[in-house]
Amino acid sequence: MEKEIVLQNEWLWNRLKSFSPDEEMGRSFSQKLAREENWSPAFTERAIEEYKKFIYLCCTLPDGASPSRIVDKVWHMHLLYTQNYWEEFCPNILRFRLHHYPSKWGSEEKQKHKLWFDNTLKHYQEIFGQPPADIWIHKKERRNPKMNLLTMISAVGLLLTLSSCSDGIGNVSALFLFIFLISWLFGRNKDAESQNKGQNGNDGGSGSCGGGNSSGCSSSCGSSCGGGCGGCGGGD
């Protein structure tokens, strides 16, 4: 449930709450988003509501805000509907042109935007209450976990085969081969976690927007995110 507080810009939040992508762009918006991201209709609806909260934070926080990976997916989809985004949403709802720019890579940028995202969560909690973890906080993912499992099973099978039909030297060789395969798989999982870490919003890997003030979105940020796709709000 949304936290009952005095909003910095109640007029802006009321406009965002009344904004319905499906009503403005047709039912195809949420259906397309759900289909492309493999989300349920209920989860898609919740993600859209969190997108509105993110946009509010973009427009009211002095230093802007950074979205989670899930929220950024909604933002990307909205940007595809260019006519609505630029001719309706920005001028009539935000009363500001909110841009989304490509990101810059590098550990320094990544760390900076991780701090930015942490600050976003802090202000989110102050304004809206506890953010839903399944949308804002993501667990580390591994790339192709099923394939890794199959590789592990194959390695064990190879070890058992070699052990059953070889002498002591062969058993030692098989053991070293097994250790090598385990180390290799562990390294692949760590690399996959590191790459996915940059895609999760809590590691600053999504887009971000510039800060605003109580009268609406009104300033720009100096750079884009350190991973994934970046963006910031800049007025025209």
Side-chain angles (χ1 to χ4, degrees):
M1 178 179 294
E2 183 180 307
K3 185 178 179 181
E4 294 293 336
I5 66 164
V6 177
L7 295 167
Q8 182 179 352
N9 189 331
E10 188 172 357
W11 294 108
L12 171 63
W13 178 238
N14 287 336
R15 292 196 301 270
L16 281 168
K17 284 203 304 182
S18 65
F19 174 75
S20 171
D22 283 341
E23 291 181 4
E24 297 290 338
M25 294 169 273
R27 187 66 184 172
S28 61
F29 180 87
S30 62
Q31 291 177 341
K32 181 179 177 66
L33 181 62
R35 182 173 62 251
E36 293 196 2
E37 302 301 332
N38 196 28
W39 295 344
S40 68
F43 184 86
T44 302
E45 182 179 354
R46 291 176 55 231
I48 292 174
E49 291 304 309
E50 294 304 313
Y51 167 63
K52 297 179 185 180
K53 295 177 182 178
F54 159 69
I55 294 296
Y56 176 83
L57 294 175
C58 279
C59 294
T60 57
L61 296 183
D63 297 324
S66 181
S68 69
R69 179 176 56 86
I70 297 295
V71 171
D72 199 50
K73 295 285 188 181
V74 184
W75 193 9
H76 274 238
M77 180 61 69
H78 195 180
L79 285 165
L80 294 179
Y81 291 78
T82 57
Q83 183 174 359
N84 175 270
Y85 188 87
W86 292 113
E87 297 182 12
E88 300 292 335
F89 185 70
C90 286
N92 298 331
I93 304 298
L94 306 186
R95 298 176 183 175
F96 172 75
R97 293 175 62 84
L98 186 65
H99 291 280
H100 193 297
Y101 298 112
S103 69
K104 294 179 181 179
W105 293 81
S107 58
E108 184 176 348
E109 282 286 293
K110 184 175 180 180
Q111 179 62 24
K112 179 177 68 176
H113 287 277
K114 180 183 183 302
L115 295 175
W116 198 357
F117 181 80
D118 291 342
N119 187 61
T120 298
L121 290 184
K122 174 179 176 291
H123 287 287
Y124 180 107
Q125 189 167 3
E126 292 174 352
I127 297 173
F128 299 109
Q130 187 67 26
D134 58 343
I135 294 179
W136 282 93
I137 310 297
H138 306 287
K139 295 180 180 180
K140 295 178 181 178
E141 300 171 343
R142 294 185 177 182
R143 182 175 298 174
N144 297 330
K146 293 183 179 180
M147 183 61 68
N148 285 344
L149 178 60
L150 290 175
T151 306
M152 181 75 72
I153 294 174
S154 300
V156 173
L158 177 61
L159 173 62
L160 294 176
T161 301
L162 291 175
S163 298
S164 63
C165 61
S166 61
D167 55 16
I169 297 177
N171 290 338
V172 173
S173 299
L175 178 60
F176 275 108
L177 175 60
F178 179 74
I179 294 174
F180 171 78
L181 288 173
I182 292 297
S183 301
W184 178 72
L185 287 172
F186 180 78
R188 278 176 57 88
N189 282 338
K190 294 296 289 183
D191 289 341
E193 287 179 359
S194 297
Q195 292 178 8
N196 281 303
K197 191 176 182 181
Q199 296 175 358
N200 290 337
N202 52 333
D203 291 301
S206 302
S208 51
C209 70
N213 58 28
S214 59
S215 61
C217 304
S218 69
S219 71
S220 61
C221 59
S223 61
S224 54
C225 267
C229 52
C232 63
D236 295 292

